[in-house]
Amino acid sequence: MLGAGGIVGAAYHAGVLTALAEEGFDARDADLIVGTSAGSGVGATLRAGFPPLDLAPRSLGQAISAEATALVGHTGAPPAIDLRPRPGSRAPLPSSPGLVVRSGFHPAKALAGLLPSGTISADVIGERISAMYAGRSWPASPLWVCAVDLDRGDRVVFGRDEHDVPIGVAVQASSSIPGVFAPVVRDGRRYVDGGVHSPTNADLLAGAGLDLVVIVSPMSTTGAARRTSLVSGRSVHARQLAREVRRLRDSGTEVLTFQPTSGDVVAMGRNPMDARRRAATTQAALTSAHDRLADAGVAARLAVLRQTSA
């Protein structure tokens, strides 16, 4: 499970997944990858064949392998997005007033409906992903990409519920932050960031019969990090993740989670779209993930991952 978190979240994924690869688990070997927002782009990149050992070097601006270069060499560094607001042609209005009513007790969905439609194009995200697939519409290995229908409020899982959407369009939809990026319109439906439903959507795998679910959750935090001054909504996301993890464990599934430590939170800063934080976040995540993997309590679960890659 690869969670939401913007540019900084993708950098956190790079550190954690590279650390896992250095300890013997290649995330490309996972039976199923589920991605939300930033995690959907990372998941699609892995399913295109990008080696996890190259994720951190690419994020740090270092040399990458020939295998990785063959996939992304022509695209250059990770995408830069111009986040300057675009002037609208009319006064900003709620993007989906009906969603406010239908959201029930889900505050993130109510907020998504209240915010005006974003004016910034996220086309570069979809185009980068599409370029890696060179004409293929979807990866051969299972990948689920989570988005939200802006009008109905439903969670939509591309690759599971919807199969006729190209991978680039799905990732762009999953990454379209309400109020910032323009919703992705497909067959008359408007899609926004899957993090509106859940930053990780980990509950999707309850009862799936998997040996182990690995969750990388850039938007939550460890207990110790909740006491740092930079923590804001992270505690809320951590509580939601805890509920989803309980559902997984109650269904008999082992879980291994990676959440930002206090050092990670400092490196990540407050703005998830701050590209200047990319290198520091990746380096911090590499260190904290290796520390977690060295813990004796994680050893048995790490052995399961190594067997998968073997």
Side-chain angles (χ1 to χ4, degrees):
M1 311 291 304
L2 305 178
I7 292 172
V8 173
Y12 181 80
H13 282 302
V16 172
L17 293 171
T18 298
L20 280 166
E22 289 173 346
E23 295 294 338
F25 172 61
D26 186 322
R28 293 175 297 182
D29 297 327
D31 291 335
L32 170 64
I33 295 177
V34 181
T36 300
S37 195
S40 72
V42 175
T45 300
L46 291 170
R47 282 303 196 222
F50 193 91
L53 282 171
D54 287 302
L55 287 170
R58 186 175 187 233
S59 184
L60 295 168
Q62 299 171 355
I64 58 177
S65 70
E67 184 180 7
T69 301
L71 276 172
V72 300
H74 61 289
T75 67
I81 302 174
D82 184 356
L83 296 173
R84 290 174 297 180
R86 309 296 194 273
S89 59
R90 59 183 180 180
L93 298 172
S95 60
S96 182
L99 180 55
V100 179
V101 177
R102 287 188 290 274
S103 63
F105 296 100
H106 200 299
K109 289 184 179 179
L111 179 60
L114 283 171
L115 288 170
S117 290
T119 58
I120 299 172
S121 171
D123 287 351
V124 64
I125 296 174
E127 290 167 356
R128 288 289 187 95
I129 297 297
S130 296
M132 280 193 289
Y133 279 80
R136 290 180 292 149
S137 63
W138 203 262
S141 298
L143 171 67
W144 293 357
V145 173
C146 301
V148 168
D149 185 311
L150 182 58
D151 297 300
R152 303 177 189 178
D154 300 335
R155 172 171 61 187
V156 177
V157 185
F158 299 113
R160 186 196 71 168
D161 305 332
E162 302 283 347
H163 298 279
D164 62 344
V165 174
I167 183 63
V169 174
V171 170
Q172 183 175 339
S174 181
S175 306
S176 293
I177 303 169
V180 178
F181 295 121
V184 170
V185 180
R186 178 84 177 181
D187 296 330
R189 299 176 70 179
R190 297 186 296 163
Y191 298 103
V192 293
D193 198 308
V196 169
H197 183 87
S198 164
T200 60
N201 289 288
D203 60 304
L204 282 172
L205 297 184
L210 299 170
D211 294 326
L212 175 67
V213 171
V214 178
I215 303 172
V216 186
S217 177
M219 292 187 68
S220 61
T221 182
T222 61
R226 290 171 212 167
R227 295 188 289 272
T228 68
S229 60
L230 287 177
V231 174
S232 53
R234 290 185 178 276
S235 296
V236 175
H237 300 317
R239 288 194 291 271
Q240 182 171 0
L241 176 62
R243 291 192 296 270
E244 295 177 352
V245 167
R246 279 196 297 273
R247 286 193 62 187
L248 287 167
R249 288 179 172 151
D250 288 347
S251 72
T253 303
E254 284 287 329
V255 181
L256 175 61
T257 61
F258 292 87
Q259 302 180 76
T261 64
S262 56
D264 295 328
V265 169
V266 171
M268 296 168 87
R270 293 182 181 274
N271 179 5
M273 299 304 289
D274 187 352
R276 296 171 299 178
R277 297 275 183 170
R278 182 181 281 130
T281 298
T282 296
Q283 192 59 63
L286 263 173
T287 300
S288 65
H290 274 299
D291 288 344
R292 178 145 175 71
L293 292 168
D295 185 277
V298 179
R301 284 170 286 178
L302 182 58
V304 172
L305 295 179
R306 286 173 175 153
Q307 290 169 8
T308 300
S309 285

PDB file of all heavy atoms in Angstrom, residues 11-51:
ATOM      1  N   ALA A  11       8.910  11.352  -2.333  1.00  0.00           N
ATOM      2  CA  ALA A  11      10.296  11.266  -1.879  1.00  0.00           C
ATOM      3  C   ALA A  11      10.431  10.331  -0.683  1.00  0.00           C
ATOM      4  O   ALA A  11      11.420   9.595  -0.552  1.00  0.00           O
ATOM      5  CB  ALA A  11      10.805  12.657  -1.519  1.00  0.00           C
ATOM      6  N   TYR A  12       9.432  10.340   0.191  1.00  0.00           N
ATOM      7  CA  TYR A  12       9.427   9.414   1.327  1.00  0.00           C
ATOM      8  C   TYR A  12       9.320   7.973   0.839  1.00  0.00           C
ATOM      9  O   TYR A  12      10.036   7.084   1.312  1.00  0.00           O
ATOM     10  CB  TYR A  12       8.269   9.766   2.264  1.00  0.00           C
ATOM     11  CG  TYR A  12       8.182   8.871   3.483  1.00  0.00           C
ATOM     12  CD1 TYR A  12       9.017   9.077   4.579  1.00  0.00           C
ATOM     13  CD2 TYR A  12       7.275   7.827   3.540  1.00  0.00           C
ATOM     14  CE1 TYR A  12       8.949   8.254   5.690  1.00  0.00           C
ATOM     15  CE2 TYR A  12       7.197   6.992   4.647  1.00  0.00           C
ATOM     16  CZ  TYR A  12       8.036   7.210   5.722  1.00  0.00           C
ATOM     17  OH  TYR A  12       7.964   6.382   6.822  1.00  0.00           O
ATOM     18  N   HIS A  13       8.425   7.725  -0.121  1.00  0.00           N
ATOM     19  CA  HIS A  13       8.324   6.395  -0.722  1.00  0.00           C
ATOM     20  C   HIS A  13       9.674   5.948  -1.278  1.00  0.00           C
ATOM     21  O   HIS A  13      10.063   4.778  -1.123  1.00  0.00           O
ATOM     22  CB  HIS A  13       7.307   6.399  -1.861  1.00  0.00           C
ATOM     23  CG  HIS A  13       5.879   6.364  -1.423  1.00  0.00           C
ATOM     24  ND1 HIS A  13       5.370   5.362  -0.637  1.00  0.00           N
ATOM     25  CD2 HIS A  13       4.844   7.203  -1.670  1.00  0.00           C
ATOM     26  CE1 HIS A  13       4.080   5.583  -0.415  1.00  0.00           C
ATOM     27  NE2 HIS A  13       3.742   6.695  -1.027  1.00  0.00           N
ATOM     28  N   ALA A  14      10.375   6.855  -1.944  1.00  0.00           N
ATOM     29  CA  ALA A  14      11.656   6.503  -2.551  1.00  0.00           C
ATOM     30  C   ALA A  14      12.635   5.995  -1.503  1.00  0.00           C
ATOM     31  O   ALA A  14      13.331   4.991  -1.712  1.00  0.00           O
ATOM     32  CB  ALA A  14      12.239   7.713  -3.283  1.00  0.00           C
ATOM     33  N   GLY A  15      12.694   6.665  -0.364  1.00  0.00           N
ATOM     34  CA  GLY A  15      13.605   6.237   0.687  1.00  0.00           C
ATOM     35  C   GLY A  15      13.229   4.894   1.279  1.00  0.00           C
ATOM     36  O   GLY A  15      14.080   4.012   1.450  1.00  0.00           O
ATOM     37  N   VAL A  16      11.940   4.713   1.601  1.00  0.00           N
ATOM     38  CA  VAL A  16      11.502   3.467   2.229  1.00  0.00           C
ATOM     39  C   VAL A  16      11.659   2.282   1.282  1.00  0.00           C
ATOM     40  O   VAL A  16      12.182   1.222   1.667  1.00  0.00           O
ATOM     41  CB  VAL A  16      10.031   3.592   2.688  1.00  0.00           C
ATOM     42  CG1 VAL A  16       9.503   2.228   3.158  1.00  0.00           C
ATOM     43  CG2 VAL A  16       9.901   4.625   3.805  1.00  0.00           C
ATOM     44  N   LEU A  17      11.236   2.431   0.039  1.00  0.00           N
ATOM     45  CA  LEU A  17      11.287   1.315  -0.902  1.00  0.00           C
ATOM     46  C   LEU A  17      12.720   0.946  -1.276  1.00  0.00           C
ATOM     47  O   LEU A  17      13.026  -0.228  -1.508  1.00  0.00           O
ATOM     48  CB  LEU A  17      10.468   1.641  -2.146  1.00  0.00           C
ATOM     49  CG  LEU A  17       8.958   1.758  -1.905  1.00  0.00           C
ATOM     50  CD1 LEU A  17       8.253   2.308  -3.134  1.00  0.00           C
ATOM     51  CD2 LEU A  17       8.360   0.415  -1.509  1.00  0.00           C
ATOM     52  N   THR A  18      13.595   1.940  -1.317  1.00  0.00           N
ATOM     53  CA  THR A  18      15.003   1.634  -1.563  1.00  0.00           C
ATOM     54  C   THR A  18      15.604   0.893  -0.375  1.00  0.00           C
ATOM     55  O   THR A  18      16.368  -0.076  -0.557  1.00  0.00           O
ATOM     56  CB  THR A  18      15.792   2.917  -1.853  1.00  0.00           C
ATOM     57  OG1 THR A  18      15.270   3.538  -3.036  1.00  0.00           O
ATOM     58  CG2 THR A  18      17.266   2.624  -2.065  1.00  0.00           C
ATOM     59  N   ALA A  19      15.248   1.305   0.840  1.00  0.00           N
ATOM     60  CA  ALA A  19      15.737   0.601   2.027  1.00  0.00           C
ATOM     61  C   ALA A  19      15.271  -0.852   2.025  1.00  0.00           C
ATOM     62  O   ALA A  19      16.040  -1.774   2.328  1.00  0.00           O
ATOM     63  CB  ALA A  19      15.263   1.317   3.291  1.00  0.00           C
ATOM     64  N   LEU A  20      14.006  -1.085   1.668  1.00  0.00           N
ATOM     65  CA  LEU A  20      13.492  -2.445   1.590  1.00  0.00           C
ATOM     66  C   LEU A  20      14.265  -3.263   0.545  1.00  0.00           C
ATOM     67  O   LEU A  20      14.585  -4.441   0.771  1.00  0.00           O
ATOM     68  CB  LEU A  20      12.004  -2.421   1.240  1.00  0.00           C
ATOM     69  CG  LEU A  20      11.046  -2.125   2.398  1.00  0.00           C
ATOM     70  CD1 LEU A  20       9.659  -1.799   1.863  1.00  0.00           C
ATOM     71  CD2 LEU A  20      10.978  -3.304   3.362  1.00  0.00           C
ATOM     72  N   ALA A  21      14.564  -2.626  -0.593  1.00  0.00           N
ATOM     73  CA  ALA A  21      15.308  -3.318  -1.643  1.00  0.00           C
ATOM     74  C   ALA A  21      16.717  -3.666  -1.170  1.00  0.00           C
ATOM     75  O   ALA A  21      17.241  -4.754  -1.461  1.00  0.00           O
ATOM     76  CB  ALA A  21      15.356  -2.465  -2.906  1.00  0.00           C
ATOM     77  N   GLU A  22      17.327  -2.765  -0.434  1.00  0.00           N
ATOM     78  CA  GLU A  22      18.668  -3.023   0.086  1.00  0.00           C
ATOM     79  C   GLU A  22      18.669  -4.147   1.120  1.00  0.00           C
ATOM     80  O   GLU A  22      19.699  -4.805   1.335  1.00  0.00           O
ATOM     81  CB  GLU A  22      19.239  -1.743   0.692  1.00  0.00           C
ATOM     82  CG  GLU A  22      19.585  -0.696  -0.367  1.00  0.00           C
ATOM     83  CD  GLU A  22      19.986   0.652   0.212  1.00  0.00           C
ATOM     84  OE1 GLU A  22      19.753   0.879   1.433  1.00  0.00           O
ATOM     85  OE2 GLU A  22      20.517   1.487  -0.551  1.00  0.00           O
ATOM     86  N   GLU A  23      17.512  -4.382   1.737  1.00  0.00           N
ATOM     87  CA  GLU A  23      17.389  -5.471   2.714  1.00  0.00           C
ATOM     88  C   GLU A  23      16.856  -6.756   2.091  1.00  0.00           C
ATOM     89  O   GLU A  23      16.566  -7.720   2.802  1.00  0.00           O
ATOM     90  CB  GLU A  23      16.482  -5.026   3.866  1.00  0.00           C
ATOM     91  CG  GLU A  23      17.030  -3.887   4.702  1.00  0.00           C
ATOM     92  CD  GLU A  23      18.282  -4.272   5.478  1.00  0.00           C
ATOM     93  OE1 GLU A  23      18.483  -5.490   5.714  1.00  0.00           O
ATOM     94  OE2 GLU A  23      19.052  -3.371   5.848  1.00  0.00           O
ATOM     95  N   GLY A  24      16.664  -6.757   0.752  1.00  0.00           N
ATOM     96  CA  GLY A  24      16.318  -8.000   0.087  1.00  0.00           C
ATOM     97  C   GLY A  24      14.927  -8.111  -0.485  1.00  0.00           C
ATOM     98  O   GLY A  24      14.570  -9.158  -1.038  1.00  0.00           O
ATOM     99  N   PHE A  25      14.104  -7.054  -0.380  1.00  0.00           N
ATOM    100  CA  PHE A  25      12.758  -7.123  -0.953  1.00  0.00           C
ATOM    101  C   PHE A  25      12.616  -6.118  -2.083  1.00  0.00           C
ATOM    102  O   PHE A  25      12.713  -4.908  -1.879  1.00  0.00           O
ATOM    103  CB  PHE A  25      11.688  -6.849   0.097  1.00  0.00           C
ATOM    104  CG  PHE A  25      10.298  -6.730  -0.494  1.00  0.00           C
ATOM    105  CD1 PHE A  25       9.723  -7.803  -1.167  1.00  0.00           C
ATOM    106  CD2 PHE A  25       9.591  -5.549  -0.398  1.00  0.00           C
ATOM    107  CE1 PHE A  25       8.450  -7.693  -1.730  1.00  0.00           C
ATOM    108  CE2 PHE A  25       8.317  -5.428  -0.955  1.00  0.00           C
ATOM    109  CZ  PHE A  25       7.753  -6.504  -1.622  1.00  0.00           C
ATOM    110  N   ASP A  26      12.355  -6.629  -3.282  1.00  0.00           N
ATOM    111  CA  ASP A  26      12.113  -5.816  -4.461  1.00  0.00           C
ATOM    112  C   ASP A  26      10.599  -5.631  -4.591  1.00  0.00           C
ATOM    113  O   ASP A  26       9.863  -6.588  -4.830  1.00  0.00           O
ATOM    114  CB  ASP A  26      12.670  -6.525  -5.700  1.00  0.00           C
ATOM    115  CG  ASP A  26      12.599  -5.686  -6.960  1.00  0.00           C
ATOM    116  OD1 ASP A  26      11.602  -4.960  -7.140  1.00  0.00           O
ATOM    117  OD2 ASP A  26      13.535  -5.762  -7.786  1.00  0.00           O
ATOM    118  N   ALA A  27      10.114  -4.399  -4.415  1.00  0.00           N
ATOM    119  CA  ALA A  27       8.670  -4.147  -4.398  1.00  0.00           C
ATOM    120  C   ALA A  27       7.985  -4.505  -5.711  1.00  0.00           C
ATOM    121  O   ALA A  27       6.767  -4.670  -5.753  1.00  0.00           O
ATOM    122  CB  ALA A  27       8.404  -2.674  -4.057  1.00  0.00           C
ATOM    123  N   ARG A  28       8.751  -4.644  -6.782  1.00  0.00           N
ATOM    124  CA  ARG A  28       8.157  -5.076  -8.046  1.00  0.00           C
ATOM    125  C   ARG A  28       7.611  -6.493  -7.952  1.00  0.00           C
ATOM    126  O   ARG A  28       6.776  -6.904  -8.772  1.00  0.00           O
ATOM    127  CB  ARG A  28       9.199  -4.988  -9.178  1.00  0.00           C
ATOM    128  CG  ARG A  28       9.636  -3.580  -9.525  1.00  0.00           C
ATOM    129  CD  ARG A  28      10.750  -3.575 -10.565  1.00  0.00           C
ATOM    130  NE  ARG A  28      11.959  -4.230 -10.070  1.00  0.00           N
ATOM    131  CZ  ARG A  28      13.086  -4.331 -10.774  1.00  0.00           C
ATOM    132  NH1 ARG A  28      13.157  -3.827 -11.996  1.00  0.00           N
ATOM    133  NH2 ARG A  28      14.149  -4.935 -10.256  1.00  0.00           N
ATOM    134  N   ASP A  29       8.064  -7.258  -6.953  1.00  0.00           N
ATOM    135  CA  ASP A  29       7.631  -8.640  -6.797  1.00  0.00           C
ATOM    136  C   ASP A  29       6.344  -8.780  -5.994  1.00  0.00           C
ATOM    137  O   ASP A  29       5.852  -9.899  -5.804  1.00  0.00           O
ATOM    138  CB  ASP A  29       8.734  -9.459  -6.118  1.00  0.00           C
ATOM    139  CG  ASP A  29      10.008  -9.531  -6.950  1.00  0.00           C
ATOM    140  OD1 ASP A  29       9.896  -9.529  -8.189  1.00  0.00           O
ATOM    141  OD2 ASP A  29      11.098  -9.582  -6.363  1.00  0.00           O
ATOM    142  N   ALA A  30       5.796  -7.680  -5.510  1.00  0.00           N
ATOM    143  CA  ALA A  30       4.566  -7.753  -4.725  1.00  0.00           C
ATOM    144  C   ALA A  30       3.429  -8.335  -5.559  1.00  0.00           C
ATOM    145  O   ALA A  30       3.306  -8.040  -6.754  1.00  0.00           O
ATOM    146  CB  ALA A  30       4.184  -6.363  -4.225  1.00  0.00           C
ATOM    147  N   ASP A  31       2.599  -9.168  -4.923  1.00  0.00           N
ATOM    148  CA  ASP A  31       1.465  -9.763  -5.633  1.00  0.00           C
ATOM    149  C   ASP A  31       0.499  -8.681  -6.121  1.00  0.00           C
ATOM    150  O   ASP A  31      -0.108  -8.809  -7.191  1.00  0.00           O
ATOM    151  CB  ASP A  31       0.710 -10.734  -4.719  1.00  0.00           C
ATOM    152  CG  ASP A  31       1.512 -11.980  -4.394  1.00  0.00           C
ATOM    153  OD1 ASP A  31       2.396 -12.334  -5.195  1.00  0.00           O
ATOM    154  OD2 ASP A  31       1.265 -12.595  -3.347  1.00  0.00           O
ATOM    155  N   LEU A  32       0.345  -7.617  -5.333  1.00  0.00           N
ATOM    156  CA  LEU A  32      -0.566  -6.528  -5.664  1.00  0.00           C
ATOM    157  C   LEU A  32       0.014  -5.234  -5.120  1.00  0.00           C
ATOM    158  O   LEU A  32       0.507  -5.202  -3.986  1.00  0.00           O
ATOM    159  CB  LEU A  32      -1.951  -6.789  -5.036  1.00  0.00           C
ATOM    160  CG  LEU A  32      -2.975  -5.653  -5.079  1.00  0.00           C
ATOM    161  CD1 LEU A  32      -3.358  -5.316  -6.520  1.00  0.00           C
ATOM    162  CD2 LEU A  32      -4.220  -6.023  -4.267  1.00  0.00           C
ATOM    163  N   ILE A  33      -0.042  -4.178  -5.909  1.00  0.00           N
ATOM    164  CA  ILE A  33       0.336  -2.845  -5.453  1.00  0.00           C
ATOM    165  C   ILE A  33      -0.912  -1.972  -5.490  1.00  0.00           C
ATOM    166  O   ILE A  33      -1.623  -1.925  -6.500  1.00  0.00           O
ATOM    167  CB  ILE A  33       1.441  -2.231  -6.328  1.00  0.00           C
ATOM    168  CG1 ILE A  33       2.739  -3.041  -6.210  1.00  0.00           C
ATOM    169  CG2 ILE A  33       1.699  -0.776  -5.924  1.00  0.00           C
ATOM    170  CD1 ILE A  33       3.866  -2.542  -7.099  1.00  0.00           C
ATOM    171  N   VAL A  34      -1.182  -1.297  -4.375  1.00  0.00           N
ATOM    172  CA  VAL A  34      -2.296  -0.355  -4.291  1.00  0.00           C
ATOM    173  C   VAL A  34      -1.709   1.027  -4.062  1.00  0.00           C
ATOM    174  O   VAL A  34      -0.961   1.238  -3.101  1.00  0.00           O
ATOM    175  CB  VAL A  34      -3.258  -0.717  -3.145  1.00  0.00           C
ATOM    176  CG1 VAL A  34      -4.430   0.275  -3.099  1.00  0.00           C
ATOM    177  CG2 VAL A  34      -3.773  -2.139  -3.309  1.00  0.00           C
ATOM    178  N   GLY A  35      -2.032   1.978  -4.941  1.00  0.00           N
ATOM    179  CA  GLY A  35      -1.467   3.312  -4.838  1.00  0.00           C
ATOM    180  C   GLY A  35      -2.527   4.379  -4.726  1.00  0.00           C
ATOM    181  O   GLY A  35      -3.574   4.312  -5.378  1.00  0.00           O
ATOM    182  N   THR A  36      -2.250   5.371  -3.894  1.00  0.00           N
ATOM    183  CA  THR A  36      -3.133   6.524  -3.727  1.00  0.00           C
ATOM    184  C   THR A  36      -2.333   7.793  -3.933  1.00  0.00           C
ATOM    185  O   THR A  36      -1.298   7.989  -3.289  1.00  0.00           O
ATOM    186  CB  THR A  36      -3.753   6.538  -2.311  1.00  0.00           C
ATOM    187  OG1 THR A  36      -4.505   5.343  -2.108  1.00  0.00           O
ATOM    188  CG2 THR A  36      -4.652   7.747  -2.127  1.00  0.00           C
ATOM    189  N   SER A  37      -2.785   8.651  -4.858  1.00  0.00           N
ATOM    190  CA  SER A  37      -2.157   9.948  -5.107  1.00  0.00           C
ATOM    191  C   SER A  37      -0.669   9.761  -5.419  1.00  0.00           C
ATOM    192  O   SER A  37      -0.322   9.088  -6.380  1.00  0.00           O
ATOM    193  CB  SER A  37      -2.389  10.876  -3.909  1.00  0.00           C
ATOM    194  OG  SER A  37      -2.118  12.218  -4.233  1.00  0.00           O
ATOM    195  N   ALA A  38       0.224  10.322  -4.616  1.00  0.00           N
ATOM    196  CA  ALA A  38       1.660  10.148  -4.876  1.00  0.00           C
ATOM    197  C   ALA A  38       2.024   8.680  -4.969  1.00  0.00           C
ATOM    198  O   ALA A  38       2.842   8.270  -5.799  1.00  0.00           O
ATOM    199  CB  ALA A  38       2.469  10.819  -3.767  1.00  0.00           C
ATOM    200  N   GLY A  39       1.394   7.860  -4.138  1.00  0.00           N
ATOM    201  CA  GLY A  39       1.670   6.429  -4.155  1.00  0.00           C
ATOM    202  C   GLY A  39       1.239   5.753  -5.432  1.00  0.00           C
ATOM    203  O   GLY A  39       1.817   4.724  -5.823  1.00  0.00           O
ATOM    204  N   SER A  40       0.228   6.314  -6.115  1.00  0.00           N
ATOM    205  CA  SER A  40      -0.191   5.720  -7.384  1.00  0.00           C
ATOM    206  C   SER A  40       0.879   5.908  -8.443  1.00  0.00           C
ATOM    207  O   SER A  40       1.135   5.008  -9.250  1.00  0.00           O
ATOM    208  CB  SER A  40      -1.517   6.332  -7.849  1.00  0.00           C
ATOM    209  OG  SER A  40      -1.364   7.667  -8.308  1.00  0.00           O
ATOM    210  N   GLY A  41       1.522   7.072  -8.445  1.00  0.00           N
ATOM    211  CA  GLY A  41       2.607   7.309  -9.395  1.00  0.00           C
ATOM    212  C   GLY A  41       3.802   6.420  -9.129  1.00  0.00           C
ATOM    213  O   GLY A  41       4.412   5.873 -10.056  1.00  0.00           O
ATOM    214  N   VAL A  42       4.136   6.249  -7.837  1.00  0.00           N
ATOM    215  CA  VAL A  42       5.247   5.373  -7.481  1.00  0.00           C
ATOM    216  C   VAL A  42       4.906   3.928  -7.844  1.00  0.00           C
ATOM    217  O   VAL A  42       5.729   3.187  -8.398  1.00  0.00           O
ATOM    218  CB  VAL A  42       5.577   5.496  -5.983  1.00  0.00           C
ATOM    219  CG1 VAL A  42       6.663   4.497  -5.586  1.00  0.00           C
ATOM    220  CG2 VAL A  42       6.028   6.915  -5.652  1.00  0.00           C
ATOM    221  N   GLY A  43       3.665   3.517  -7.556  1.00  0.00           N
ATOM    222  CA  GLY A  43       3.253   2.152  -7.890  1.00  0.00           C
ATOM    223  C   GLY A  43       3.286   1.883  -9.380  1.00  0.00           C
ATOM    224  O   GLY A  43       3.742   0.820  -9.825  1.00  0.00           O
ATOM    225  N   ALA A  44       2.798   2.846 -10.167  1.00  0.00           N
ATOM    226  CA  ALA A  44       2.827   2.681 -11.618  1.00  0.00           C
ATOM    227  C   ALA A  44       4.262   2.629 -12.138  1.00  0.00           C
ATOM    228  O   ALA A  44       4.567   1.891 -13.079  1.00  0.00           O
ATOM    229  CB  ALA A  44       2.067   3.823 -12.291  1.00  0.00           C
ATOM    230  N   THR A  45       5.146   3.400 -11.523  1.00  0.00           N
ATOM    231  CA  THR A  45       6.551   3.395 -11.911  1.00  0.00           C
ATOM    232  C   THR A  45       7.180   2.026 -11.635  1.00  0.00           C
ATOM    233  O   THR A  45       7.922   1.480 -12.460  1.00  0.00           O
ATOM    234  CB  THR A  45       7.313   4.497 -11.161  1.00  0.00           C
ATOM    235  OG1 THR A  45       6.740   5.772 -11.498  1.00  0.00           O
ATOM    236  CG2 THR A  45       8.786   4.502 -11.524  1.00  0.00           C
ATOM    237  N   LEU A  46       6.863   1.457 -10.477  1.00  0.00           N
ATOM    238  CA  LEU A  46       7.370   0.117 -10.162  1.00  0.00           C
ATOM    239  C   LEU A  46       6.831  -0.916 -11.138  1.00  0.00           C
ATOM    240  O   LEU A  46       7.576  -1.775 -11.633  1.00  0.00           O
ATOM    241  CB  LEU A  46       6.963  -0.266  -8.733  1.00  0.00           C
ATOM    242  CG  LEU A  46       7.642   0.500  -7.596  1.00  0.00           C
ATOM    243  CD1 LEU A  46       6.953   0.171  -6.275  1.00  0.00           C
ATOM    244  CD2 LEU A  46       9.130   0.153  -7.518  1.00  0.00           C
ATOM    245  N   ARG A  47       5.540  -0.850 -11.431  1.00  0.00           N
ATOM    246  CA  ARG A  47       4.937  -1.830 -12.330  1.00  0.00           C
ATOM    247  C   ARG A  47       5.426  -1.659 -13.772  1.00  0.00           C
ATOM    248  O   ARG A  47       5.356  -2.596 -14.572  1.00  0.00           O
ATOM    249  CB  ARG A  47       3.410  -1.708 -12.286  1.00  0.00           C
ATOM    250  CG  ARG A  47       2.767  -2.345 -11.053  1.00  0.00           C
ATOM    251  CD  ARG A  47       3.130  -3.795 -10.935  1.00  0.00           C
ATOM    252  NE  ARG A  47       2.270  -4.541 -10.007  1.00  0.00           N
ATOM    253  CZ  ARG A  47       2.730  -5.436  -9.150  1.00  0.00           C
ATOM    254  NH1 ARG A  47       4.041  -5.682  -9.069  1.00  0.00           N
ATOM    255  NH2 ARG A  47       1.888  -6.099  -8.370  1.00  0.00           N
ATOM    256  N   ALA A  48       5.964  -0.488 -14.104  1.00  0.00           N
ATOM    257  CA  ALA A  48       6.574  -0.303 -15.421  1.00  0.00           C
ATOM    258  C   ALA A  48       7.934  -0.986 -15.496  1.00  0.00           C
ATOM    259  O   ALA A  48       8.483  -1.156 -16.591  1.00  0.00           O
ATOM    260  CB  ALA A  48       6.725   1.181 -15.732  1.00  0.00           C
ATOM    261  N   GLY A  49       8.482  -1.359 -14.318  1.00  0.00           N
ATOM    262  CA  GLY A  49       9.756  -2.061 -14.284  1.00  0.00           C
ATOM    263  C   GLY A  49      10.893  -1.283 -13.660  1.00  0.00           C
ATOM    264  O   GLY A  49      12.039  -1.745 -13.654  1.00  0.00           O
ATOM    265  N   PHE A  50      10.625  -0.115 -13.097  1.00  0.00           N
ATOM    266  CA  PHE A  50      11.684   0.712 -12.511  1.00  0.00           C
ATOM    267  C   PHE A  50      12.216   0.045 -11.244  1.00  0.00           C
ATOM    268  O   PHE A  50      11.456  -0.287 -10.339  1.00  0.00           O
ATOM    269  CB  PHE A  50      11.142   2.098 -12.172  1.00  0.00           C
ATOM    270  CG  PHE A  50      12.200   3.109 -11.851  1.00  0.00           C
ATOM    271  CD1 PHE A  50      12.741   3.905 -12.848  1.00  0.00           C
ATOM    272  CD2 PHE A  50      12.666   3.273 -10.550  1.00  0.00           C
ATOM    273  CE1 PHE A  50      13.723   4.843 -12.566  1.00  0.00           C
ATOM    274  CE2 PHE A  50      13.645   4.197 -10.253  1.00  0.00           C
ATOM    275  CZ  PHE A  50      14.176   4.999 -11.272  1.00  0.00           C
ATOM    276  N   PRO A  51      13.540  -0.163 -11.138  1.00  0.00           N
ATOM    277  CA  PRO A  51      14.103  -0.853  -9.975  1.00  0.00           C
ATOM    278  C   PRO A  51      13.992  -0.013  -8.702  1.00  0.00           C
ATOM    279  O   PRO A  51      14.389   1.155  -8.693  1.00  0.00           O
ATOM    280  CB  PRO A  51      15.581  -1.047 -10.354  1.00  0.00           C
ATOM    281  CG  PRO A  51      15.629  -0.860 -11.845  1.00  0.00           C
ATOM    282  CD  PRO A  51      14.563   0.137 -12.162  1.00  0.00           C
TER     283      PRO A  51
END
